[in-house]
Amino acid sequence: MSVDSVKKHKYSGFINPAGIFQFIINLLGLYLIFKAALVWNTDMLWVYIFWLLFSTATELKPISMPNNDQLTVSFAVHISALILFGVPIAILSSTVANIITDIIGRRGWKKMLFNVSQYAVTIYCSWFIYHLVRSGSGPLELKADFLAMVLSCLTYVVVNFLLVSTVISLSQGTRWLRQLTNDVKLEMIHFVTLVPVSLLIVILYNYEPLSIIILLLPLAMAHFSFDNYMTLRTETKNTIEVLADIIDKRDAYTAQHSYRVANYCEAIANKLKLNQSDYETLITAARVHDLGKISVPDSILLKNQRLQPEERNLIIDHAMIGFTILSNLRFYKSGAKFVFHHHERYDGTGYPHGLKGDQIPLGARIMAVADSYDAMTSDRPYRKAMSVEEALTEIINNSGTQFDPDIVEVFVQIVRNELGVKLKSDAI
């Protein structure tokens, strides 16, 4: 795993934690690379060239993750080179391979320097654990050294993950734990599938060096299968969000409504310190919470007069239709219930099921406040937008009846802090 893109951090002009962290890792990494170059045995030149080409090939087409990580299958090559030939060849082949691929990918010298350095640190830590746990110092014995090899793989995964997640977190000013756990399940699945491949490379190379060629095809297939899954996942998310935006734009007064609601939900989730899984589920659901309005005719959606009972029923049904669409998509399945219940009321008089209090999913309670606030502060065909102060007062007046009081308190604090809004009640 390496760094893809790092946004400009929020510490410009002040102490730069990301820069300090990168400097420390770069210093350690360059020292290890220099040390590996000094002790490298030139008799292993052809082995080094082969492993360099192998490592370069596995770095050429990285998989970009939503959290700005990049995944490759180079892990299998680094670990097998480490176990078979020791730390110098593993570090040097990784270093040159990353320089080549980062130049081709035009990632810039800062990202390149950090990538080669963090890989050097990661490989060295894996080597340290391998030799700490290994029972002997002679030729490799697969049965006796199996535990050492597995722990070396685990060390690689943990150190690599920590280093890359930390630099991205510090650079973007995001919460470290949230960055660390963002898509962690997907990335761990990717790594875990490569552990047996790494060990198989070692076994086959010991048996017959050229036999590892037969692993190239399954290794490539595993990589491209995961890449295709991530592409399909991203394209599905983008398509649903575009569709939601098109629905918003049917009414000029509600354009970008879902985008703003997602931003409000994000602010509330940050204040409540939701874990990464709940946070991501809420934000992705909020972006498409009105998707079900695709079933509502323009004549009803844009009507500037009181709705008839049958017309109101069509509006009410949009929550169920949105739920039906989203619950069939794996990426949205867990958040579909928030869309279904975001019109429930805290006192139990909402729809579709009349849920009350904590019976309403937390994400739906958060979404209800964000959705209502944005609706009140937007112009509509039948009324002008409320001011921020008026909308907040309305939210507060409906705390405990329409809205969860705890979420109302958090949201009011957010708006006051962000916009400096003072309510009349503040002066009393």
Side-chain angles (χ1 to χ4, degrees), residues 162-415:
L162 286 174
L163 293 179
V164 173
S165 296
T166 299
V167 75
I168 293 176
S169 174
L170 292 174
S171 299
Q172 298 184 356
T174 58
R175 286 193 174 94
W176 180 77
L177 187 59
R178 180 165 290 163
Q179 180 65 42
L180 193 66
T181 56
N182 190 17
D183 279 321
V184 66
K185 291 181 181 178
L186 288 174
E187 296 188 4
M188 287 302 102
I189 290 172
H190 183 262
F191 276 120
V192 167
T193 57
L194 293 177
V195 170
V197 176
S198 306
L199 302 181
L200 192 56
I201 290 174
V202 173
I203 294 170
L204 288 178
Y205 190 89
N206 270 298
Y207 176 75
E208 169 55 54
L210 290 179
S211 65
I212 65 172
I213 293 175
I214 66 176
L215 289 177
L216 296 180
L217 182 58
L219 195 61
M221 289 179 64
H223 178 74
F224 285 112
S225 294
F226 192 79
D227 187 29
N228 287 336
Y229 169 76
M230 288 305 303
T231 299
L232 181 61
R233 185 174 183 260
T234 301
E235 289 177 350
T236 299
K237 179 175 180 288
N238 291 343
T239 300
I240 295 298
E241 288 184 357
V242 167
L243 184 58
D245 289 341
I246 290 172
I247 292 169
D248 281 350
K249 289 177 182 177
R250 288 169 65 192
D251 182 353
Y253 295 99
T254 62
Q256 295 293 302
H257 167 68
S258 296
Y259 183 81
R260 292 191 299 270
V261 169
N263 285 340
Y264 295 137
C265 287
E266 182 177 8
I268 296 171
N270 282 328
K271 196 76 172 177
L272 294 175
K273 297 181 179 179
L274 297 188
N275 64 50
Q276 175 58 32
S277 177
D278 293 340
Y279 171 87
E280 185 177 352
T281 299
L282 172 61
I283 306 310
T284 53
R287 276 288 283 120
V288 297
H289 71 281
D290 276 340
L291 185 64
K293 286 183 179 178
I294 194 172
S295 65
V296 181
D298 285 351
S299 59
I300 297 175
L301 189 65
L302 306 179
K303 191 173 183 179
N304 57 5
Q305 298 172 348
R306 181 180 294 275
L307 296 176
Q308 298 300 315
E310 62 273 14
E311 295 174 329
R312 177 170 169 75
N313 287 337
L314 282 175
I315 292 289
I316 289 175
D317 284 345
H318 86 274
M320 181 191 67
I321 292 169
F323 170 80
T324 302
I325 296 171
L326 296 175
S327 60
N328 286 305
L329 300 170
R330 180 180 297 181
F331 184 74
Y332 287 100
K333 187 178 291 290
S334 57
K337 61 185 178 182
F338 300 160
V339 172
F340 193 31
H341 295 296
H342 77 279
H343 283 294
E344 304 281 4
R345 291 173 58 100
Y346 198 71
D347 61 5
T349 61
Y351 65 85
H353 287 159
L355 300 183
K356 183 177 181 180
D358 291 345
Q359 293 176 335
I360 307 169
L362 176 60
R365 283 179 271 148
I366 293 172
M367 204 181 293
V369 173
D371 184 41
S372 297
Y373 175 79
D374 189 72
M376 287 188 283
T377 54
S378 301
D379 285 329
R380 305 308 299 268
Y382 49 86
R383 62 157 175 79
K384 296 293 290 180
M386 293 183 182
S387 68
V388 172
E389 181 179 340
E390 290 171 333
L392 283 185
T393 300
E394 188 70 17
I395 293 283
I396 292 170
N397 289 342
N398 284 278
S399 176
T401 52
Q402 184 175 354
F403 307 117
D404 183 330
D406 293 332
I407 294 172
V408 169
E409 182 180 354
V410 168
F411 184 69
V412 171
Q413 288 177 2
I414 290 170
V415 178

Side-chain angles (χ1 to χ4, degrees), residues 104-117:
I104 293 173
R106 298 180 180 180
R107 297 186 182 105
W109 70 268
K110 288 184 179 179
K111 296 187 187 84
M112 180 178 69
L113 182 58
F114 181 78
N115 281 336
V116 299
S117 299

